[in-house]
Amino acid sequence: MGMPEEQLGEELIKEESAPRASSRGRLVARRFLRTKQGVTGLIVLALLFVLAFAGPALTDWSYTDKDFMSFLQPPSARHWFGTSQTGQDIYAVTLRGMQKSLIIGLLVAIISTAVAAIVGSFAGYFLGWTDRMLMWVVDLLLVLPSFLIIAIMSPLFRGGNWPLFVLMLAAFMWMVTSRIMRSMTISIKEREFIAAARFMGVSAPKIIFRHVIPNLASLLIVDATINVSAAILTETSLSYFGFGVQPPDVSLGTLIADGTRSATTAPWTFFFATGLLIITVLAVNLVGDGLRDAFDPTARRPGKARS
Amino acid sequence: MLKFLLRRLANYVLLVVIATSLAYLLAASTLDPRANYEGRSPRPPEAVVDARLSELNLNDKVPLIQRFGTWAGDVVTGDFGRTWEGNSVNQEITRRVGVTLRLLVLGVLLGSVLGVFAGAYAAVKQYGWFDHGATLVSFLILSIPTVVIAVLLQIAAVAFNEATGTRFFQYTGEYTPGLQGGLLTHLGDRLQHLVLPTLTLALSQIAVYSRYQRNMMLDVMNADFVRTARAKGLTRRAALVRHALRTALIPAVTYFAFTFGALLVGTTFTEKIYGWHGMGELLVNSIYSNDVNSVAAVSCFAAVAVLIAALLSDVLHAALDPRVRVG
């Protein structure tokens, strides 16, 4: 008796939500492309990606090469960004570092947003002891300074073990979003379409993944974007002190750390990595700002607040 | 109200205990103080190293739980143990805590007050030149990591000093060692050293708070209660400051607890880069030197600092919002 009804209900929901979701996506995309800052950010970001991943092919030098004919030379036709104290080609090394920083930023944002979505929506949907337990974990992680914990664990990142570093960065970046997710889930779960799904007998996890999370996608997408820049900034700071990406891997943070020592005498060792870092983060923030406007056209712009 | 605060306090204390224990366990299992001794030449015999490590409660051959028990027992009596070189961690901390607090308090006060006022002013003059300028500058600052801000300020200071042929900006240490002169000279010297680190910390705070405060202020500026305040005869300025700003401050105060952790991290970078011997520098150095007990002590300090900030934001929240006090 219950089975066909449930399937019917499922199909009805599927049919109803599929075209609406795509049209909403198109609407947001159109609005996003009308925001000046969003388009600028997107173009710059695309160029940076091309530079980071296709750029190394343009030069004969690889990031592992050392030119023993030129140490600490200013930019020239031979070495476009100059060379470091050990004769490394700064152009090749910087692009290599940028690849790593971009990948880390993207991975951390995806993982942390996923965790925030799941924890926040489960806590808000079930409330009770699930909520109390999860929010207690959130409080605990907020009290623990992430920098400290990741720095303590840094010996474990040696030997190319940077995925663990990514996981740790993500582990400390989801708490605030999950709190917002929780409060929005509490308000959305009283709405008719959720109640309807519940009365049809759809299981709670299914409701959460099919109805709650997609309906709060706008918040999550904006937040994921902001998390990319936050992750890149944190990665840089940790790597600067040797607590992040470990040699022989390089990231923008380790490059800036190397460059700082000779920043005043040989500015090219410092300024290319720093400049690219700032442009990257700026572009990501611009995209986030544009997305926010696109999802919520009534909000005042330029509105922005983050830690 | 008092009951509310006491309940929060109990919860926070529990969190600090767990956070510090977790930091100790993590540090004890990943850091390797034995390497400090074995790296020496001539390499000391293993029995000697073992005895020394056991004496300092750092021996990795002792089960972790037992080491944790010894450590926790000492911490309860107020003793954070000894560094791997055998010095008292407590002494180290009492020497450094003032340095960090000075930087932290100045950075917070300067950053939040200037940020809140800049944001409120930008909101009042919405779309004016100040608003646009503040938006642009804070957007830029938020895209630069604190580490890079510190280094850039240092480079600018060097350039300024060279251009003017003076030593106006000081960028290493918190005072000039062996300086001759009276109290006034010393005070001036300390101020010169203070400028750049404080600026490093305050800049990002100003950027964050001004963005946040601007949005909050815009939310309440056209609210009915502000119009009522104007209608009963208050001047625009009084209505904005007494009613709009006060209401708009409440979310910023809540935000304070969240940003404090980030600020603590910023202090670590600033201390390390400007050569201040504070808690942040101790953290970085003790991780470099596998110093488990110092790491745990700094973690405790950080957790307590975050706790105090959270408690302070609860109190300020109550002071600003009568609903919290009464309800």
Side-chain angles (χ1 to χ4, degrees):
Chain A
M1 235 341 244
M3 261 308 278
E5 269 174 27
E6 190 179 310
Q7 274 173 357
L8 183 70
E10 288 285 297
E11 262 161 39
L12 273 176
I13 291 164
K14 227 180 271 169
E15 268 171 34
E16 193 218 14
S17 64
R20 221 189 66 203
S22 77
S23 74
R24 181 163 175 257
R26 236 178 291 148
L27 182 74
V28 168
R30 223 180 15 243
R31 275 205 223 115
F32 175 75
L33 291 178
R34 270 206 300 265
T35 61
K36 217 189 307 168
Q37 78 274 34
V39 174
T40 317
L42 202 62
I43 292 173
V44 172
L45 211 54
L47 288 177
L48 287 170
F49 260 94
V50 171
L51 177 71
F53 288 96
L58 297 178
T59 170
D60 298 333
W61 299 98
S62 125
Y63 71 99
T64 45
D65 287 346
K66 290 205 166 98
D67 185 354
F68 296 109
M69 309 291 285
S70 53
F71 296 115
L72 213 58
Q73 291 301 308
S76 63
R78 193 171 148 83
H79 297 286
W80 296 344
F81 286 2
T83 58
S84 70
Q85 261 141 335
T86 51
Q88 284 175 305
D89 183 62
I90 304 260
Y91 175 79
V93 180
T94 306
L95 294 192
R96 176 75 186 174
M98 226 169 97
Q99 287 177 5
K100 186 117 286 157
S101 288
L102 286 173
I103 291 174
I104 289 179
L106 281 178
L107 281 179
V108 169
I110 291 169
I111 298 172
S112 66
T113 309
V115 173
I118 292 170
V119 170
S121 53
F122 271 78
Y125 190 84
F126 289 110
L127 291 176
W129 67 268
T130 320
D131 175 47
R132 237 170 296 150
M133 207 179 66
L134 288 174
M135 285 306 115
W136 193 78
V137 174
V138 166
D139 277 346
L140 177 67
L141 286 179
L142 280 174
V143 172
L144 282 175
S146 60
F147 174 81
L148 208 143
I149 299 296
I150 298 179
I152 294 173
M153 292 184 71
S154 61
L156 302 178
F157 307 148
R158 280 178 204 142
N161 200 4
W162 61 271
L164 181 66
F165 177 49
V166 168
L167 282 182
M168 287 312 295
L169 277 178
F172 283 102
M173 220 166 261
W174 55 273
M175 291 88 71
V176 177
T177 316
S178 79
R179 269 174 180 258
I180 304 172
M181 265 307 272
R182 172 181 171 271
S183 60
M184 291 181 82
T185 306
I186 292 175
S187 73
I188 206 176
K189 92 178 210 208
E190 301 305 329
R191 300 262 291 273
E192 292 84 353
F193 65 98
I194 306 261
R198 196 161 50 223
F199 296 150
M200 269 183 247
V202 183
S203 69
K206 221 170 193 175
I207 293 181
I208 290 175
F209 283 110
R210 270 224 192 123
H211 303 294
V212 176
I213 293 179
N215 268 286
L216 300 175
S218 58
L219 165 82
L220 291 173
I221 292 174
V222 172
D223 221 81
T225 319
I226 300 299
N227 276 355
V228 173
S229 61
I232 294 179
L233 289 179
T234 316
E235 180 274 314
T236 314
S237 306
L238 281 160
S239 298
Y240 183 91
F241 290 109
F243 297 146
V245 173
Q246 304 285 334
D249 280 338
V250 289
S251 79
L252 287 180
T254 63
L255 290 174
I256 292 173
D258 290 343
T260 308
R261 269 169 247 137
S262 46
T264 39
T265 48
W268 60 90
T269 55
F270 174 71
F271 278 103
F272 287 110
T274 312
L276 281 172
L277 171 79
I278 296 174
I279 294 171
T280 310
V281 178
L282 206 59
V284 174
N285 284 345
L286 284 175
V287 171
D289 215 44
L291 278 174
R292 194 192 307 263
D293 281 5
F295 276 118
D296 186 8
T298 54
R300 306 154 313 270
R301 61 160 312 265
K304 185 169 155 49
R306 65 169 189 89
S307 60
Chain B
M1 177 63 205
L2 194 69
K3 225 173 101 187
F4 163 76
L5 278 183
L6 280 178
R7 208 173 51 231
R8 289 302 274 265
L9 187 68
N11 187 28
Y12 287 144
V13 168
L14 183 66
L15 283 173
V16 166
V17 170
I18 293 175
T20 312
S21 308
L22 215 63
Y24 176 83
L25 290 173
L26 211 57
S29 50
T30 51
L31 300 180
D32 180 19
R34 182 179 293 274
N36 294 352
Y37 290 98
E38 290 183 341
R40 282 182 180 174
S41 63
R43 187 169 165 162
E46 195 170 335
V48 175
V49 175
D50 270 342
R52 180 68 178 152
L53 286 175
S54 296
E55 190 194 332
L56 300 170
N57 191 29
L58 293 171
N59 195 343
D60 50 340
K61 286 180 184 162
V62 177
L64 183 59
I65 288 298
Q66 195 185 330
R67 272 183 284 158
F68 176 70
T70 316
W71 173 82
D74 284 346
V75 170
V76 168
T77 61
D79 179 11
F80 279 102
R82 287 191 280 166
T83 66
W84 75 273
E85 288 160 308
N87 301 321
S88 158
V89 173
N90 282 29
Q91 272 177 21
E92 189 84 3
I93 286 179
T94 39
R95 200 167 56 230
R96 286 168 180 269
V97 102
V99 178
T100 298
L101 285 182
R102 187 167 2 139
L103 203 58
L104 210 56
V105 169
L106 269 177
V108 166
L109 284 182
L110 209 69
S112 54
V113 170
L114 283 181
V116 162
F117 276 108
Y121 187 74
V124 172
K125 305 267 171 181
Q126 195 184 7
Y127 302 134
W129 65 267
F130 182 82
D131 187 21
H132 283 301
T135 303
L136 203 72
V137 170
S138 50
F139 216 83
L140 191 68
I141 288 176
L142 288 177
S143 303
I144 311 177
T146 314
V147 177
V148 174
I149 293 183
V151 175
L152 286 177
L153 279 178
Q154 229 172 10
I155 293 174
V158 172
F160 178 88
N161 282 357
E162 273 175 8
T164 56
T166 58
R167 287 175 53 85
F168 180 75
F169 286 115
Q170 301 285 339
Y171 41 81
T172 40
E174 48 167 329
Y175 54 86
T176 312
L179 184 73
Q180 299 291 317
L183 182 68
L184 218 59
T185 329
H186 277 281
L187 202 66
D189 180 61
R190 281 193 180 243
L191 277 179
Q192 277 180 322
H193 282 86
L194 204 57
V195 174
L196 289 177
T198 312
L199 202 62
T200 309
L201 271 187
L203 270 180
S204 46
Q205 292 280 304
I206 294 175
V208 171
Y209 278 106
S210 71
R211 289 292 68 214
Y212 202 66
Q213 191 61 36
R214 176 183 178 276
N215 289 350
M216 292 304 130
M217 193 73 182
L218 284 177
D219 265 346
V220 299
M221 247 168 55
N222 300 317
D224 289 340
F225 67 89
V226 177
R227 196 162 351 130
T228 310
R230 289 272 284 150
K232 76 176 185 192
L234 283 188
T235 58
R236 182 173 147 82
R237 175 189 293 266
L240 284 178
V241 173
R242 294 276 307 272
H243 294 268
L245 183 63
R246 182 178 164 155
T247 313
L249 265 178
I250 295 171
V253 162
T254 319
Y255 204 60
F256 173 74
F258 282 121
T259 55
F260 196 78
L263 186 75
L264 218 55
V265 175
T267 317
T268 306
F269 303 150
T270 314
E271 278 176 11
K272 186 69 189 158
I273 290 172
Y274 287 103
W276 282 49
H277 303 306
M279 298 294 276
E281 196 204 42
L282 179 63
L283 172 72
V284 176
N285 290 348
S286 55
I287 292 176
Y288 286 154
S289 62
N290 295 314
D291 200 346
V292 178
N293 290 336
S294 302
V295 170
V298 179
S299 311
C300 183
F301 167 78
V304 169
V306 173
L307 170 146
I308 292 174
L311 212 58
L312 202 66
S313 102
D314 284 345
V315 171
L316 282 175
H317 195 165
L320 285 170
D321 192 343
R323 280 171 305 185
V324 177
R325 254 175 321 194
V326 178

